[in-house]
Structures are given as structure tokens and as C-alpha cells.
Amino acid sequence: MTIRLNVNNEKQTLNVDPEKPLLWVLREDLDLTGAKYGCGAGLCGACTVHVDGVAVRSCVTPVASCIGSEITTIEGLSADGEHPLQRAWVEGNVMQCGYCQPGQLMNAAALLSKNPQPSVEQIRSVMQGNICRCGTYPRIEAAIKKVAGENIENASESE
Ligand code: FES
């Protein structure tokens, strides 16, 4: 079936099975390998991308359900790796093996775009479904809190 997608602000026309998971369309058909295969059941978050700004588990999302939507992957989160979260990730030396981190970043980015100043409880609630086998959770939380703090400062400066 011919499917048209909008991925990272680029239009794509593909001939794929409509039931094919978005993750595999991204990785195999579009060569966007940032989103990772973890559990294949929507349970670990390694495959997280945005569909219309919402964090979704691409391993359990049929590609046909994304027709007409804006899909953003880690490759499209920022033009130059300068998203505030990406900067905080680097500054905080968050990554260990790195496998889960694209999903962590995409989930955190969706949180902050909806709620720029989340509480610690809100951060933990949203991020708890993204598993990190290396246990980088404290650094992930610190990086999100750093950006949330910057957002609070920026908001008060513009008042
Ligand atoms: Fe290794 Fe998270 S950094 S799984």
C-alpha cells in the first residue's frame, strides 16, 4: 500500500504494509535508526518518537495510524543537537551505553513541551515507563530538572 508520511518535516512516500510498526518503517525504510528496538511490546520506551507532539511507542504503532500526522524522531528533535534537553544531557554526562537515550530524550521533550515546568513528581510519573538498564535515572532526572529550572527562570525574566 502506498503511504505518505511527514517525518521530521519531510514528506515521504512509501510502499509498505499498513500494519508495519512505525519503528520498522523509520529504521528500515527511512534509515532513521535513532529510535531503538527494545522490547517490541511498548513496555520499555526505547522506540519513543513523537506523533503530533505526543510521545508514542513506535514498536506497537501501525504506520497507517500515522498518516496525516507529524512524526518527529530523535534525528528531528533539533536541527543541530541544540535542543535544551540535548545540551543538558551532554552537560550532565547522562548517557552510559546510550541505547535507551533517544527514547528517554523524546519522552522528556514531549513532557516539557506540554508542561515546561514540571514538578519532580510529574517528571518521575512521566519518565517511569522508560527503562534504562544502565541505571542512569538520577542523571536523566537531573537533566530534566535543569531544563525545567531554566524554563522557570526564562518565564520570570519575561514577566
Ligand atoms: Fe544504557 Fe540506558 S544508558 S540502557
Side-chain angles (χ1 to χ4, degrees):
M1 173 178 167
T2 300
I3 286 185
R4 292 185 179 79
L5 296 177
N6 190 335
V7 183
N8 298 335
N9 289 320
E10 284 183 24
K11 297 204 179 331
Q12 304 284 354
T13 302
L14 303 161
N15 192 5
V16 293
D17 179 343
E19 292 300 315
K20 186 171 182 175
L22 174 62
L23 174 65
W24 296 113
V25 172
L26 295 171
R27 292 182 59 85
E28 294 179 340
D29 300 294
L30 296 175
D31 205 23
L32 293 168
T33 56
K36 298 292 187 269
Y37 176 77
C39 65
L43 300 172
C44 77
C47 66
T48 303
V49 301
H50 296 175
V51 177
D52 292 331
V54 176
V56 303
R57 304 293 166 93
S58 63
C59 73
V60 290
T61 303
V63 65
S65 72
C66 303
I67 295 170
S69 296
E70 297 279 340
I71 300 161
T72 307
T73 70
I74 187 71
E75 291 89 346
L77 183 62
S78 65
D80 49 10
E82 289 290 316
H83 185 285
L85 282 169
Q86 288 173 304
R87 285 205 309 266
W89 244 243
V90 172
E91 285 167 18
N93 202 17
V94 170
M95 287 165 279
Q96 196 158 315
C97 82
Y99 197 82
C100 72
Q101 299 295 337
Q104 304 279 4
L105 275 162
M106 295 307 283
N107 204 38
L111 163 65
L112 291 184
S113 72
K114 199 166 65 171
N115 178 6
Q117 300 161 18
S119 65
V120 172
E121 291 71 27
Q122 288 168 329
I123 293 170
R124 289 180 183 171
S125 170
V126 168
M127 297 303 294
Q128 68 178 350
N130 280 65
I131 308 302
C132 174
R133 64 189 171 184
C134 300
T136 64
Y137 301 113
R139 296 201 295 273
I140 290 170
E141 185 177 302
I144 298 171
K145 279 174 15 191
K146 180 176 190 294
V147 177
E150 290 167 1
N151 290 340
I152 291 170
E153 279 174 31
N154 292 341
S156 60
E157 278 170 16
S158 63
E159 278 172 6

